[in-house]
Amino acid sequence: MTEKILILDFGSQYTQLIARSVREANVYCEIIPYNKEIVYEPGLKGIILGGSPFSVNENNALQADVKAMTSRVPVLGICYGAQLTAKLYGGLVEKSDKREYGRAIFTIEKDDTLFQDITGESQVWMSHSDTIKELPAGFELLGTTESIPVAAFKRTTNNPPGLVDEQPLYGLQFHPEVYHSVEGKTIIKNFLVNICGCSQDWTPAHFITDTVDALKKQIGNKKVIMGLSGGVDSTVAATLIHKAIGKNLFGIFVDNGVLRKNEFEEVIEIYGKLGLNVKGIDAKDHFYKKLAGKTDPEEKRKAIGGGFIEIFDEEAHKIEGVELLGQGTIYPDVIESLSVHGPSATIKSHHNVGGLPDTMKLGLVEPLRSLFKDEVRRVGLELGIPKEMLFRHPFPGPGLGIRILGEVTEERVRLLQDADAIYINGLKKHNLYTTVWQAGTILLPVKSVGVMGDERTYEFTVALRAVTSVDGMTADWAHLPYEFLANISNEIINNVPGINRVVYDISSKPPATIEWE
């Protein structure tokens, strides 16, 4: 029986950080909307109420039955969760005299197991416009900051009238899950271990064992088909499914003509070493025909996505008796679909081209849908998947198709593949690859005059892109050494006929995006 912590999402930008902090303590957790019915399974050890951009004093304030929760399991309220708790029990929550945002020094006023191994004064991160002015009866103050009277509290063992056999109930006005709360993760770990009694046994090896057993029960003797991309998620998902059902997993890896240089051959070789049953399909010509004449980014994405579906559908019909589809869905995708705000507005079609025609009536197998990206990599290492595959930079589903601005042709793909290979190999050679989140080369629809020897040239320009980031939501341009950039520029121009100019993109996200299209 897996132990579990539930995190109630009230719309805070930090909710996923709470989950990451819990997972890092080797405790399994799930995020659910604040208004979803809670199922009190035997393994449920505690509940965390997250923050919110809203006020508990609004007429339509987001509500949760904290009293019902604490009759079953320990509860920790963070920011909005703390304010909601205080108000529900009769405390006073009012607008702050000033908006409290940023670093603050948290002072412990009363020792508690929640603050085990925490220094008496610790830096924390505030982000709220309301504040708790008075605690309810039966609650006691645990900590303050220089600007707010109630930064941490708990319900005392002397329960208010009418409440019996209640579980521990805590509130924190600050955000322990945020990086700037220096000892915040220790506080969260204390809640998990000291208050909830979690055993911290949720590890990659534990996950693999449980998942393979579950897959065997789910799949049985059925056949599973899966479109592979060479990426982290699909490779780890396929390896888990393979451990459960062996050759009954049928993988399809399509060369869409816009992969990185030699990627098709290299990935097929790795899949072979992993023992996966994967069929490689050379469909470059099919995709080049669909892309001919298209210059709009969205049209190119749809052409590549549509081409994949056509090839996948054709190959799937060659395998008799397939009932299930394997996918590398990960937890952030699941959270997005369950968000209290609903799915985010579409900025562009999703990077991961895919989707299936309605005629393919297949059940889903998604062994990674409970994991974050960093957890997927740790599971992959435990499975023996090569590091060079697990720690590759993110790569868009439409591949080089959206790194070639303008029309995609076979010749332009070759130019970009050659230039990009020089850039990426150079990053690896100079130990810079792992210092950036993502790097790539963009072929611009721009020709410029150059001079090579005694000859005048009129050739293409490429832009080099490298960014640093934690999760890709925001990114800064990577400050690569000038000497490195100069050497890469020379190497590209000298070795890739058709390119005579190299520029470096120093735009951050926002306002720019990581990819150009």
Side-chain angles (χ1 to χ4, degrees), residues 272-339:
K273 290 179 179 178
L274 291 172
L276 300 181
N277 177 26
V278 178
K279 181 179 182 181
I281 309 295
D282 182 351
K284 291 192 290 289
D285 291 341
H286 178 81
F287 284 89
Y288 291 147
K289 288 176 184 176
K290 292 187 73 69
L291 287 164
K294 291 181 172 60
T295 59
D296 178 75
E298 199 65 14
E299 287 186 7
K300 290 193 291 183
R301 287 175 180 276
K302 289 177 179 176
I304 294 169
F308 171 79
I309 291 171
E310 291 167 1
I311 298 296
F312 187 84
D313 191 30
E314 180 183 332
E315 293 299 322
H317 279 92
K318 295 178 183 178
I319 306 168
E320 292 185 4
V322 171
E323 297 181 55
L324 298 170
L325 172 73
Q327 288 192 331
T329 308
I330 63 175
Y331 199 40
D333 302 322
V334 177
I335 295 170
E336 176 71 9
S337 66
L338 296 175
S339 168

Side-chain angles (χ1 to χ4, degrees), residues 7 9 11-21 31 50-53 78-79 99 101-102 125-128 174-180:
I7 300 166
D9 179 16
S12 169
Q13 61 180 321
Y14 300 137
T15 302
Q16 286 196 34
L17 295 181
I18 301 174
R20 284 179 174 273
S21 298
I31 297 172
S52 175
I78 294 175
C79 197
R99 178 167 167 75
Y101 181 84
W125 184 260
M126 294 287 185
S127 179
H128 61 99
F174 57 89
H175 287 273
E177 72 275 18
V178 175
Y179 169 79
H180 300 294

Side-chain angles (χ1 to χ4, degrees), residues 114-134:
L114 185 66
F115 302 127
Q116 180 179 312
D117 300 324
I118 302 298
T119 54
E121 293 189 341
S122 181
Q123 178 183 290
V124 296
W125 184 260
M126 294 287 185
S127 179
H128 61 99
S129 54
D130 288 343
T131 193
I132 301 167
K133 295 290 182 71
E134 295 178 13

Side-chain angles (χ1 to χ4, degrees), residues 350-367:
H350 199 274
H351 283 331
N352 295 321
V353 296
L356 291 170
D358 293 335
T359 53
M360 293 184 71
K361 306 295 184 183
L362 300 175
L364 287 180
V365 180
E366 299 173 305

Side-chain angles (χ1 to χ4, degrees), residues 393-394 403 423-424 427 432-442 464-480 485 504-510 512-516:
H393 290 170
R403 290 183 179 174
Y423 179 36
I424 298 302
L427 288 169
L432 294 168
Y433 186 81
T434 56
T435 69
V436 300
W437 163 267
Q438 185 172 348
T441 311
I442 299 94
L464 306 182
R465 181 75 159 138
V467 298
T468 56
S469 180
V470 175
D471 55 12
M473 299 301 291
T474 62
D476 192 16
W477 62 277
H479 296 222
L480 298 178
L485 291 171
Y504 187 58
D505 182 349
I506 58 170
S507 309
S508 295
K509 175 187 178 182
T513 53
I514 295 176
E515 299 291 344
W516 282 40

